[in-house]
């Protein structure tokens, strides 16, 4: 999973497999969480978000799970494709205006 | 739909030079942000503007100034660039109170020699 200030974690998966990327967030008061995808040379791209009153939210091929008890967030990508190769990171906010970002996990999809 | 547009895409400065990074959004968002991204670190907030006419410091404001020119535009100025400001700078916007996540531009890669 992600940790602030450490080497970027990496995850390699076979094309077609499911991927799970984890994130530990820091503040139990955080009430809004977002997953971003960042490809090389581009800005972060919104994938999916979830509010603290939910445990799970699904999008197209992606699911976010929120465990407030242990302050853990995960992103599941179904049937991972080569185009999913990127850095993924989570963001949390509790101030309403300031987001705090993890350092990210680098996902490599092996064809 | 352009979203968030940043200029320039690349810039090289000498120590002590000044420059302004430009950002514009066309999503009618109230809030705009400037972040920097350095290897091994998460995005760090430099300044933000919760609404037109207001600006506030973020986590790493030293050496930077900002101007919220109007609802669409939010600029970041380096008055006297230092090598420690070598980074990738991202502008973002959101309508947070309407439940909108941050939407980012594609960044400005700045090198200070």
């Amino acid at each position: 999973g992600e940790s602030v200030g450490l080497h970027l974690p990496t995850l390699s998966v076979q094309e077609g497999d499911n991927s799970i990327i984890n994130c530990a967030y820091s503040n139990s008061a955080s009430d809004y969480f977002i997953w971003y995808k960042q490809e090389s040379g581009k800005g972060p791209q919104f994938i999916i978000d979830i509010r603290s009153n939910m445990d799970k939210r699904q999008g197209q091929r992606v699911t976010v799970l929120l465990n407030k008890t242990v302050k853990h967030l995960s992103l599941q990508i179904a049937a991972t494709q080569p185009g999913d190769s990127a850095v993924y990171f989570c963001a949390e906010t509790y101030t309403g205006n300031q987001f705090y970002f993890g350092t990210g996990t680098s996902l490599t999809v092996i064809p | 739909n352009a979203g968030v547009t940043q200029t320039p895409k690349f810039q090289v400065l000498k120590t002590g030079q000044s420059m302004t990074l430009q950002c514009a959004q066309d999503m009618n968002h109230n809030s705009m942000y400037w972040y920097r991204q350095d290897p091994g670190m998460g995005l760090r907030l430099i300044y933000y503007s919760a609404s037109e006419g207001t600006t506030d410091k973020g986590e790493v404001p030293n050496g930077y100034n900002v101007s919220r020119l109007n609802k669409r535009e939010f600029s970041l100025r380096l008055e006297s660039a230092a090598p420690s400001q070598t980074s990738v700078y991202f502008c973002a916007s959101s309508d947070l109170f309407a439940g909108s996540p941050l939407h980012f531009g594609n960044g400005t890669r700045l090198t200070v020699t």
Side-chain angles (χ1 to χ4, degrees):
Chain A
E2 298 178 30
S3 299
V4 173
L6 300 183
H7 294 294
L8 199 64
T10 59
L11 176 66
S12 295
V13 299
Q14 291 289 141
E15 181 178 359
D17 286 352
N18 296 335
S19 304
I20 299 176
I21 300 169
N22 298 303
C23 176
Y25 64 92
S26 58
N27 194 311
S28 57
S30 292
D31 57 5
Y32 183 45
F33 305 87
I34 306 173
W35 278 102
Y36 285 94
K37 172 186 180 183
Q38 187 174 22
E39 296 173 284
S40 181
K42 295 187 178 180
Q45 178 187 358
F46 169 80
I47 302 173
I48 192 168
D49 57 0
I50 189 168
R51 299 199 177 275
S52 58
N53 61 352
M54 302 173 69
D55 296 324
K56 179 180 179 179
R57 192 167 187 217
Q58 290 184 290
Q60 188 176 8
R61 282 202 307 118
V62 294
T63 300
V64 55
L65 299 177
L66 175 63
N67 185 330
K68 295 181 285 293
T69 303
V70 295
K71 294 189 288 186
H72 184 267
L73 197 65
S74 68
L75 176 71
Q76 300 177 1
I77 305 173
T80 314
Q81 302 168 358
D84 294 328
S85 293
V87 173
Y88 292 81
F89 53 87
C90 64
E92 60 175 303
T93 183
Y94 59 93
T95 65
N97 263 316
Q98 294 199 38
F99 284 84
Y100 297 88
F101 293 84
T103 51
T105 295
S106 178
L107 174 66
T108 300
V109 181
I110 304 164
Chain B
N1 216 0
V4 178
T5 303
Q6 291 183 237
T7 56
K9 294 188 190 308
F10 301 93
Q11 184 70 51
V12 178
L13 292 177
K14 295 188 189 306
T15 297
Q17 288 185 318
S18 62
M19 79 162 294
T20 299
L21 282 64
Q22 307 287 353
C23 175
Q25 54 93 7
D26 63 1
M27 294 173 283
N28 201 34
H29 285 161
N30 291 315
S31 302
M32 297 186 73
Y33 309 78
W34 277 104
Y35 287 89
R36 60 178 290 173
Q37 187 175 44
D38 301 294
M41 306 187 75
L43 288 157
R44 292 183 293 167
L45 182 64
I46 304 171
Y47 270 94
Y48 68 99
S49 172
S51 60
E52 189 177 353
T54 68
T55 60
D56 286 285
K57 295 179 180 179
E59 182 184 355
V60 288
N62 291 344
Y64 305 96
N65 285 302
V66 291
S67 295
R68 183 74 183 266
L69 304 170
N70 48 54
K71 191 172 186 179
R72 290 186 65 248
E73 299 173 288
F74 189 39
S75 63
L76 178 71
R77 182 159 178 85
L78 286 71
E79 289 291 352
S80 179
S84 61
Q85 294 178 305
T86 293
S87 188
V88 181
Y89 291 85
F90 289 100
C91 178
S93 71
S94 77
D95 197 0
L96 194 65
F97 298 108
S100 164
L102 294 174
H103 295 265
F104 287 87
N106 279 327
T108 294
R109 295 182 178 273
L110 175 66
T111 301
V112 183
T113 62

